[in-house]
Amino acid sequence: MTHAIPSPNPSVADPSEAEARVGILHGAGYVGGALIRLLAGHPQAQLAAVTSRTFAGDPVAEAHPSLRGQVDQAFVAPSDAPLDALDAVLVAGEHGQSMHLVPELLDAGLEAPIVDLSADFRFRDASVYPEWFDVEHPAPELLDTATYGLPEWSEGPPTALIANPGCYATGITLALAPLAARDVPITAHVTALTGASGSGARPSAATHYPTRDGNVRPYKVLAHQHAPEIQQTIGAHVDLRFVPASGPWTRGIWGTAHIDGPAAPTPDAVREAFEAAYADAPFVRCSAGALPSLRPTVGTPFCDVGWQTQDGTLVVGFALDNLLKGAASQAVQNLNRALDLSETAGLLPKSVVETT
């Protein structure tokens, strides 16, 4: 079946003149809570609806207690979402849900940009899904229509279907892409640690506090599903060796990429590459000669990137909040771009937005 793709900027409302009406589908998880919080403070968007099967009819604060007194809204059942009244839709469901849901939304006549936070539309090659996710994609014709939503490395304006990147993929790609753009073969040995919230709100052995506290546990060594996502952006000329690990904290990703050998760039070339790549990127903060710490990024929409070189070895460090730049704030960044709003709207203080 062929699904009709709406134009990126629907005519149901002009967001430059009024608040854009945004719906969040599957908003009861950690990322859903972060999206709700961001939209509650957005100057040009309003949360028109948020769905949840489990919490339908309950106040948003039932799933997100920190929003009590801040968001006076209740969850609705997915079937009750007012699709025809929305200017944009954010889908925050689990992997494997959106590949069925998005075609249904399009077949139902949704005429609004869709930002999907799962992996379901991140890959142009449909063969990735059975290989890495053990599922055949039911709507492969939509993959070529989706924009991979890493704003700093997106080519051209966003389409009406935007695939929000994964959290590891965001940090590692931002750390490696300026070097990969030199189109010189390099090998990057990446080790990155993520907090427990990266595993989602549903409890598991991996997120059980007594197991996680004071512990670092590697998993999916050299076989994480974000590796082909990263490779898709940085190119096959980068030999990526990725070791992910769970860290003993709740939020944030911290990692390093070690690059050595005769193809490693000089310190001046590294500085020039990162300065050129991120001079106009409002949510990437660069530091030459120092690797970033994790804590300054937690609760912020930034990815911090820094680098050090010595005796032909280059180390690039990166840090970000996995629920924000690794998910929700990046989705709002993509939402802003799809609606022709300022990329920083709702993500930076107004005074900062006005002076940059």
Side-chain angles (χ1 to χ4, degrees):
M1 178 183 292
T2 299
H3 305 279
I5 303 297
S7 61
N9 299 299
S11 59
V12 289
D14 182 353
S16 65
E17 298 178 357
E19 289 186 339
R21 296 161 296 181
V22 181
I24 300 174
L25 306 187
H26 303 294
Y30 290 145
V31 173
L35 287 171
I36 294 168
R37 182 182 296 278
L38 291 172
L39 288 177
H42 198 294
Q44 292 171 278
Q46 61 170 299
L47 180 61
V50 55
T51 74
S52 170
R53 289 187 179 89
T54 303
F55 293 95
D58 292 336
V60 162
E62 188 70 22
H64 307 296
S66 66
L67 294 176
R68 183 181 178 189
Q70 301 184 68
V71 177
D72 184 19
Q73 197 155 358
F75 289 103
V76 299
S79 59
D80 293 333
L83 298 179
D84 58 349
L86 298 178
D87 299 319
V89 172
L90 302 169
V91 185
E94 297 178 352
H95 301 312
Q97 291 182 330
S98 292
M99 60 178 64
H100 298 282
L101 175 60
V102 169
E104 292 173 0
L105 295 175
L106 297 175
D107 290 341
L110 178 67
E111 295 184 358
I114 301 169
V115 181
D116 179 50
L117 285 88
S118 77
D120 290 9
F121 295 95
R122 292 175 188 163
F123 299 96
R124 293 184 289 270
D125 183 357
S127 67
V128 171
Y129 291 93
E131 180 180 356
W132 288 88
F133 296 91
D134 296 321
V135 63
E136 293 286 345
H137 203 291
E141 74 279 2
L142 291 181
L143 298 177
D144 285 337
T145 71
T147 296
Y148 183 67
L150 186 60
E152 295 80 8
W153 292 95
S154 292
E155 296 181 0
T159 60
L161 175 57
I162 302 170
N164 213 60
C167 51
Y168 276 132
T170 295
I172 296 171
T173 302
L174 291 174
L176 295 180
L179 305 175
R182 299 167 63 243
D183 205 24
V184 175
I186 58 173
T187 298
H189 300 270
V190 178
T191 300
L193 291 81
T194 186
S197 60
S199 300
R202 186 176 301 169
S204 69
T207 57
H208 189 48
Y209 185 76
T211 301
R212 194 122 185 180
D213 183 42
N215 189 30
V216 170
R217 181 183 62 85
Y219 66 100
K220 296 184 180 179
V221 174
L222 304 178
H224 195 278
Q225 67 272 15
H226 284 187
E229 182 181 339
I230 299 162
Q231 207 83 60
Q232 180 175 254
T233 302
I234 63 177
H237 63 289
V238 178
D239 184 6
L240 175 65
R241 314 291 179 87
F242 174 33
V243 178
S246 62
W249 54 81
T250 299
R251 295 175 70 146
I253 290 175
W254 182 92
T256 61
H258 292 244
I259 301 164
D260 55 20
T266 65
D268 287 343
V270 174
R271 178 190 290 271
E272 291 171 4
F274 280 93
E275 289 180 350
Y278 299 130
D280 298 317
F283 297 112
V284 179
R285 303 186 295 198
C286 293
S287 301
L291 304 188
S293 298
L294 174 62
R295 184 171 292 178
T297 66
V298 174
T300 82
F302 298 102
C303 179
D304 286 355
V305 179
W307 58 91
Q308 290 183 246
T309 60
Q310 181 176 332
D311 300 329
T313 296
L314 165 65
V315 180
V316 182
F318 54 93
L320 72 161
D321 188 317
N322 57 291
L323 295 181
L324 290 176
K325 181 57 175 168
S329 69
Q330 185 147 258
V332 172
Q333 196 178 349
N334 281 313
L335 174 75
N336 289 337
R337 297 177 77 235
L339 294 175
D340 287 332
L341 304 176
S342 167
E343 191 168 318
T344 61
L347 299 174
L348 291 180
K350 185 177 179 181
S351 59
V352 175
V353 175
E354 289 177 342
T355 58
T356 56

